[in-house]
Amino acid sequence: RIRLNGQLLLLEMQPFFVSNETEALVCAGGVIHIRSAQRLERQTSCLRKAPAALSSLGNPLGDKVVKSPTMLKLFKVAQAYLENDTPMLVTGELATGKKHIVQTLFNEWKTRHLELDARLGQVSGSLLTVDQLTEVLKTNAWVVVEDFERMSKPCQIFLARWLAEQPEKLYQEESPTRVIALSRMRASELAHMPDLLPELFYSVNSFQMDVPPLRQRREDLSNIVKGL
């Protein structure tokens, strides 16, 4: 328990590990999660209303479909994001499964944290207006922005300012809205785009996953074909 600005909060610290070149586990970072008493009470109330929710907890990111070492390593990193409220940048070529991975993460997060009313919304960066962005950010949901680097300059400015204000909302009773940015470009390419605001890029890149192309995960192809 900690007290911050006179408010009693619960602080949780969780390290996460990945395998290095020799398959040894090394600490790649950690997550610090802070919960308010009001939010914990709301989740406890949800648990009483839906006690069967815990029975579905598990690891949907396991090896039932995914077999390739590159994707298994990616999912170990993805697991850490389940305890994180920051924005996230998901990069990868066309048809690598970026949206499917985000959907899987959202489903697990929703069940694990008993956010039963949360929704996953998707918008197109190239078609987004400031009015639409304003409305979608009020939904207490995960907001997925496809091709986010193609957002108009007014949308980029608005989103960058909104993200900069989010630490003030960390202790709110409702679950904070998350912004998930999707792009077919690599993070290194996005960082040097002249039309992309640097402050927006570094905000969404606070947690980053790069989904490998299918040619680097041939072990998964047979499972993908079975699911078609």
Side-chain angles (χ1 to χ4, degrees):
R1 291 184 177 185
I2 63 170
R3 189 172 294 276
L4 186 62
N5 294 331
Q7 184 178 3
L8 187 63
L9 303 166
L10 177 66
L11 182 147
E12 299 171 289
M13 293 178 287
Q14 176 184 355
F16 63 91
F17 299 84
V18 297
S19 300
N20 61 15
E21 294 80 2
T22 62
E23 298 302 320
L25 289 178
V26 295
C27 183
V31 175
I32 296 178
H33 196 78
I34 300 177
R35 300 175 185 270
S36 67
Q38 295 90 340
R39 190 171 171 192
L40 284 174
E41 290 173 0
R42 184 172 62 85
Q43 291 180 328
T44 301
S45 176
C46 288
L47 177 59
R48 286 194 292 266
K49 294 177 182 177
L54 287 178
S55 64
S56 63
L57 290 180
N59 181 14
L61 307 179
D63 57 1
K64 291 184 178 180
V65 175
V66 175
K67 299 292 184 180
S68 62
T70 55
M71 287 299 289
L72 289 174
K73 184 178 295 187
L74 176 72
F75 281 158
K76 287 181 180 179
V77 177
Q79 286 283 1
Y81 190 69
L82 294 173
E83 303 298 334
N84 200 323
D85 284 333
T86 65
M88 178 169 62
L89 173 63
V90 182
T91 60
E93 297 178 3
L94 180 66
T96 54
K98 297 186 294 294
K99 288 191 288 186
H100 177 72
I101 291 174
V102 172
Q103 180 70 62
T104 303
L105 277 172
F106 173 76
N107 292 341
E108 174 69 359
W109 170 84
K110 181 177 178 179
T111 303
R112 180 177 297 187
H113 294 285
L114 299 172
E115 300 286 357
L116 306 181
D117 297 326
R119 296 185 298 107
L120 177 67
Q122 297 186 11
V123 294
S124 171
S126 60
L127 303 177
L128 196 60
T129 67
V130 172
D131 289 340
Q132 292 170 337
L133 185 57
T134 302
E135 290 302 314
V136 76
L137 291 174
K138 295 178 181 178
T139 57
N140 297 112
W142 285 28
V143 178
V144 178
V145 183
E146 298 183 57
D147 298 323
F148 93 105
E149 74 278 2
R150 298 178 63 187
M151 287 193 300
S152 65
K153 189 57 67 69
C155 282
Q156 292 187 40
I157 294 173
F158 180 89
L159 184 57
R161 289 176 178 173
W162 186 88
L163 289 172
E165 296 172 356
Q166 288 312 290
E168 301 176 4
K169 303 177 182 179
L170 182 61
Y171 316 117
Q172 63 189 21
E173 181 176 351
E174 297 296 326
S175 174
T177 298
R178 298 191 192 193
V179 174
I180 315 294
L182 303 188
S183 178
R184 302 177 192 177
M185 302 176 64
R186 292 182 175 274
S188 58
E189 297 173 327
L190 293 169
H192 295 92
M193 279 191 64
D195 295 330
L196 181 61
L197 289 178
E199 54 266 39
L200 177 59
F201 167 74
Y202 289 113
S203 292
V204 300
N205 197 40
S206 57
F207 199 107
Q208 197 261 333
M209 290 197 308
D210 183 50
V211 183
L214 291 176
R215 61 181 175 274
Q216 295 179 9
R217 33 195 273 229
R218 298 181 183 277
E219 299 91 336
D220 302 332
L221 288 177
S222 60
N223 293 312
I224 293 174
V225 172
K226 291 177 183 178
L228 294 177

